[in-house]
Amino acid sequence: MEILIFGAGAIGAFYGSRLAFNKNVNVSVVCRSNYQAVKTAGFSITSQQFGNYEWSPARTFANASEARKAGLNWDYVIVSTKALPDVSDDSQLLAGLISERTAIVLIQNGIGIEEPYARRFPRAVILSAVTITSAAQPKHGSIQHHRWTKINFGAYPGDSQQATSKNNLLIDLLSKVGVDDASAFPAQKLQLLRWHKVAINAAFNPSSVLSYETDNPSMVHDADMYEHMKGVIDEVLGVALKLTGLPLPKDFATPQQILDSAKKSPKGSFPSMLGDWKRNQKMELEVILGNPIKLGREKGLDMPRLQTMYALLKTAQATREQRSESRL
Ligand SMILES: NC(=O)c1ccc[n+]([C@@H]2O[C@H](COP(=O)([O-])OP(=O)(O)OC[C@H]3O[C@@H](n4cnc5c(N)ncnc54)[C@H](OP(=O)(O)O)[C@@H]3O)[C@@H](O)[C@H]2O)c1
Ligand SMILES: *[C@@H]1O[C@H](CO)[C@@H](O)[C@H](O)[C@H]1NC(C)=O
Ligand SMILES: *[C@@H]1O[C@H](CO)[C@@H](O)[C@H](O)[C@H]1NC(C)=O
């Protein structure tokens, strides 16, 4: 079996390195800024759960056209780039890599991330994945797996027999290498899980940046911030339940449970968007805020808390860029 990880950063390299423990599975990667480091020395992974280990991908490509030249028939192409539709449409880079037997797997946060892939590859199986794994790449090729492995997969836009078998096979490969909380959801439930994750991300990520780099536990300990955080989560979940027509599943955390768990999170734990902001990188604002706002509006459902944060952060990002350009 041939698997290609497109965008081997924190999440892609972590799952890729696990999948590669399967016999008869070759896992290759398309890198960008970490290409030289990975080509030379592979990845080194540190994980409390799995220990520390090295991983040399079967093949390491500098970009998509190099991967195309390999002329392989990929079973899975796993996309784990940041979802930044305002910067690039990564679906176009997959042209020539997708065959009849390829399933495209999207492990990314946000809403609406599948659309460009579904439009470009209407006949391909698309598996949409939501993970709560926490991982980072503090330097090129060094992957820190912090906590959790949980990942859920669902077909997009709807279930099919072909998608189900691709889904089950991938979950099987993961469970054989210690990722035993990978599971499949029906397509609609997976979309609701995306909204649920977005409710959490939309509350914590922008608020940390806008509150001058406040950590997760502090954001829920302050009474005014708590009211804001709960307001955002309720707002997003409320719209999500109306849009999908589903009740909140019993296996999803309630807003209260989300906030209680953040209260207990370690001091100094920050949402990843804060890291993007501090490193001067683009934040995933469109898929976490912009797309949900748009989809809600189309059905007459406004999210004023989300809209306010979106407008402020998008403008902060643009203003900072303009100033740094004018300084050059
Ligand atoms: N990290 C987490 O704990 C976590 C948890 C849950 C969900 N997620 C979600 O998972 C997704 C991936 O996040 P991440 O933290 O793994 O991000 P990341 O560490 O920045 O990894 C993304 C990787 O994709 C590469 N890339 C981007 N465009 C590329 C291209 N055109 N060709 C080749 N490589 C390309 C990036 O290269 P460059 O270095 O050149 O940019 C980077 O190595 C995001 O949607 C995120 O929200 C992350
Ligand atoms: C791919 O897998 C096959 C079978 O396990 C193996 O013989 C081959 O060497 C692998 N190729 C690479 C580039 O790792
Ligand atoms: C892809 O990478 C190869 C090898 O580093 C390089 O020669 C080529 O110009 C790159 N192509 C694109 C489209 O970036």
Side-chain angles (χ1 to χ4, degrees):
M1 188 177 303
E2 297 286 349
I3 298 180
L4 181 66
I5 308 284
F6 188 82
I11 287 294
F14 169 68
Y15 281 108
S17 74
R18 297 314 306 163
L19 285 166
F21 277 101
N22 283 288
K23 285 202 170 45
N24 306 319
V25 175
N26 290 338
V27 183
S28 302
V29 294
V30 180
C31 289
R32 199 165 61 181
S33 68
N34 58 358
Y35 172 70
Q36 269 317 327
V38 175
K39 181 81 185 166
T40 311
F43 288 100
S44 81
I45 293 103
T46 62
S47 165
Q48 277 197 6
Q49 185 171 347
F50 299 107
N52 301 347
Y53 57 98
E54 308 287 315
W55 175 47
S56 284
R59 302 170 197 77
T60 301
F61 301 111
N63 51 48
S65 41
E66 294 294 300
R68 253 187 306 279
K69 282 190 211 150
L72 289 164
N73 210 339
W74 303 102
D75 294 281
Y76 293 93
V77 171
I78 298 179
V79 179
S80 48
T81 54
K82 288 262 168 75
L84 299 168
D86 47 335
V87 177
S88 61
D89 174 1
D90 292 344
S91 74
Q92 69 182 37
L93 300 171
L94 300 195
L97 292 170
I98 309 304
S99 76
E100 299 262 291
R101 82 189 245 182
T102 314
I104 302 170
V105 185
L106 305 170
I107 314 183
Q108 296 177 311
N109 277 332
I111 294 291
I113 56 133
E114 304 93 344
E115 237 348 85
Y117 297 86
R119 242 181 287 127
R120 198 174 295 273
F121 306 105
R123 288 182 308 127
V125 166
I126 296 177
L127 301 178
S128 181
V130 176
T131 180
I132 61 159
T133 299
S134 158
Q137 182 179 219
K139 82 181 216 274
H140 290 156
S142 295
I143 305 297
Q144 293 176 341
H145 171 230
H146 297 304
R147 268 170 300 171
W148 306 304
T149 54
K150 191 179 170 66
I151 184 163
N152 289 96
F153 299 89
Y156 184 91
D159 293 302
S160 70
Q161 216 176 355
Q162 212 191 350
T164 302
S165 69
K166 278 286 190 186
N167 219 342
N168 291 342
L169 182 55
L170 186 58
I171 287 167
D172 193 44
L173 291 177
L174 285 167
S175 66
K176 282 185 180 140
V177 293
V179 181
D180 52 13
D181 49 5
S183 61
F185 274 178
Q188 280 301 96
K189 186 175 178 186
L190 195 281
Q191 286 305 312
L192 185 54
L193 182 65
R194 270 199 178 283
W195 279 93
H196 186 264
K197 181 92 196 276
V198 156
I200 301 169
N201 289 145
F204 287 86
N205 290 17
S207 305
S208 178
V209 179
L210 290 169
S211 63
Y212 199 57
E213 306 175 8
T214 307
D215 69 6
N216 291 326
S218 307
M219 282 194 278
V220 282
H221 275 117
D222 177 85
D224 291 309
M225 280 298 277
Y226 184 94
E227 185 181 335
H228 160 70
M229 307 296 279
K230 184 165 187 320
V232 173
I233 294 172
D234 287 343
E235 182 175 279
V236 178
L237 276 185
V239 167
L241 298 180
K242 281 187 190 144
L243 287 181
T244 57
L246 298 172
L248 189 70
K250 288 211 167 55
D251 50 343
F252 286 17
T254 62
Q256 199 56 55
Q257 286 167 332
I258 294 166
L259 293 160
D260 286 346
S261 146
K263 263 187 188 157
K264 286 181 237 137
S265 65
K267 228 179 155 32
S269 63
F270 292 95
S272 64
M273 186 180 278
L274 181 69
D276 298 334
W277 169 255
K278 286 170 78 173
R279 284 189 299 271
N280 231 327
Q281 289 168 346
K282 276 266 166 44
M283 300 173 281
E284 290 177 305
L285 296 180
E286 294 306 322
V287 297
I288 292 176
L289 303 169
N291 284 347
I293 293 168
K294 210 181 307 162
L295 286 174
R297 275 213 179 129
E298 282 169 12
K299 301 283 178 209
L301 303 166
D302 278 332
M303 288 182 273
R305 288 181 188 269
L306 231 58
Q307 198 281 335
T308 302
M309 294 194 296
Y310 177 59
L312 288 172
L313 268 187
K314 201 170 59 146
T315 306
Q317 185 172 266
T319 304
R320 181 160 81 170
E321 270 167 30
Q322 279 162 15
R323 290 207 186 127
S324 74
E325 272 162 28
S326 66
R327 271 198 297 272
L328 291 178

